[in-house]
């Protein structure tokens, strides 16, 4: 069976880290690149984390040099949410490899050409790198098979009342991607929340012994303690992880195709993903919006991930 070529664009980030672990435990995927972008924390940290994670897991892939700031919006990060260095204070060993000499958008273009129409892209952070690639290489949209993104919400936001963080950081990039014509699956806050985990469920999986457990244990505790003690939430949705699971096995996900745009102008709702759930605009759907994912199968995928890292 031929492998599924994929480029992961991300801003690690505690939940990006778990998503990358999940992807790397699926040998049917061929991870061509892990491209960093500024987002959860500054570019200096997200880029080092991407490099170090690729090294730690032992993935033979490129790590392109990504965007240090959004296209137009000011550079805003969420350091307090992801802790020191972006990984809740966990220090990964220094990377032995270096960045690819090419920029993330050039890496994406090169890999899309190499994959001859089969390349998929998963974005787990602001969509700046992908938007630059689409603008710089107009032919790229014909070469990307599908984009699966942790972005947006069809409900309430987590950054302003209406906007999800990744869309809010770079709304102009999000809108470029939405209007590109490439098939896109939007795994937003509300859809991902159908796979929210209690502390008991989360720790039972992430503390299972394996070679990545020092990281998964630390990160799981960081996320869940922040969510419950600081934010008083009953459970934890690890958004990038649910998104990656939906990418790996689309059969766990239920999508509704909807006409969707990203608000770039309003001072109240900048970054809102305006989802025409009831099809009132009469416009053709351009985005598959995640409505729910199968939580039991999601949990099973996470358990299998831990088993894989025990065996490899
Ligand atoms: C998204 O923003 C970041 O905090 C997470 O990594 C995730 O990609 C959730 O809004
Ligand atoms: Ca992220």
């Amino acid at each position: 069976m031929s492998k599924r070529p994929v480029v992961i664009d991300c801003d690690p980030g505690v939940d990006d880290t778990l998503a990358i672990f999940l992807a790397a435990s699926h040998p049917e995927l061929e991870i061509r690149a892990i491209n960093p972008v500024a987002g959860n924390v500054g570019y200096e940290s997200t880029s080092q984390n991407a490099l170090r994670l690729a090294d730690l897991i032992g993935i033979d892939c490129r790590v392109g040099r990504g965007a240090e700031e959004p296209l137009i919006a000011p550079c805003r990060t969420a350091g307090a949410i992801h802790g020191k260095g972006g990984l809740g204070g966990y220090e990964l060993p220094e990377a032995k490899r270096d960045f690819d000499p090419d920029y993330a958008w050039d890496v994406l273009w090169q890999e899309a050409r190499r994959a001859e129409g089969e390349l998929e892209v998963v974005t787990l952070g602001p969509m700046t790198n992908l938007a630059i690639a689409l603008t710089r290489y107009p032919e790229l949209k014909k070469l990307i098979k599908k984009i699966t993104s942790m972005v947006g919400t069809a409900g309430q936001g987590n950054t302003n009342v209406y906007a999800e963080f990744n869309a809010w950081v770079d709304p102009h990039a999000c809108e470029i991607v939405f209007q590109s014509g490439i098939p896109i699956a939007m795994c937003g806050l509300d859809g991902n929340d159908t796979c929210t985990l209690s502390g008991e469920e989360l720790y039972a999986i992430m503390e299972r012994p394996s070679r990545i457990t020092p990281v998964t244990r630390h990160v799981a505790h960081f996320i869940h303690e922040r969510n419950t003690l600081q934010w008083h939430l009953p459970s934890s949705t690890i958004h990038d992880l649910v998104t990656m699971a939906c990418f790996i096995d689309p059969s766990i996900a239920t999508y509704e195709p909807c006409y969707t745009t990203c608000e770039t102008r309003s001072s109240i709702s900048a970054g809102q993903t305006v989802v025409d759930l009831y099809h009132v605009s009469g416009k053709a759907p351009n985005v598959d919006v995640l409505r729910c994912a199968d939580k039991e199968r999601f949990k099973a995928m996470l358990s299998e991930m831990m088993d894989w890292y025990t065996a490899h």
Side-chain angles (χ1 to χ4, degrees), residues 189-267:
L189 300 174
D190 51 335
N192 291 341
D193 273 339
T194 59
C195 286
T196 198
L197 300 174
S198 68
E200 207 177 315
E201 289 172 311
L202 183 62
Y203 298 150
I205 297 168
M206 297 299 171
E207 290 186 349
R208 282 170 56 171
S210 80
R211 74 181 169 94
I212 56 164
T213 307
V215 189
T216 54
R217 181 192 297 116
H218 181 93
V219 162
H221 276 270
F222 177 84
I223 293 173
H224 194 65
E225 284 163 23
R226 176 198 66 194
N227 289 355
T228 52
L229 304 177
Q230 215 176 313
W231 295 345
H232 308 291
L233 296 171
S235 57
S236 292
T237 304
I238 306 182
H239 289 286
D240 296 346
L241 191 55
V242 181
T243 302
M244 188 60 81
C246 292
F247 160 71
I248 293 168
D249 184 356
S251 76
I252 72 166
T254 304
Y255 294 102
E256 172 83 23
C258 299
Y259 180 70
T260 306
T261 57
C262 185
E263 173 59 50
T264 54
R265 283 164 298 187
S266 163
S267 56

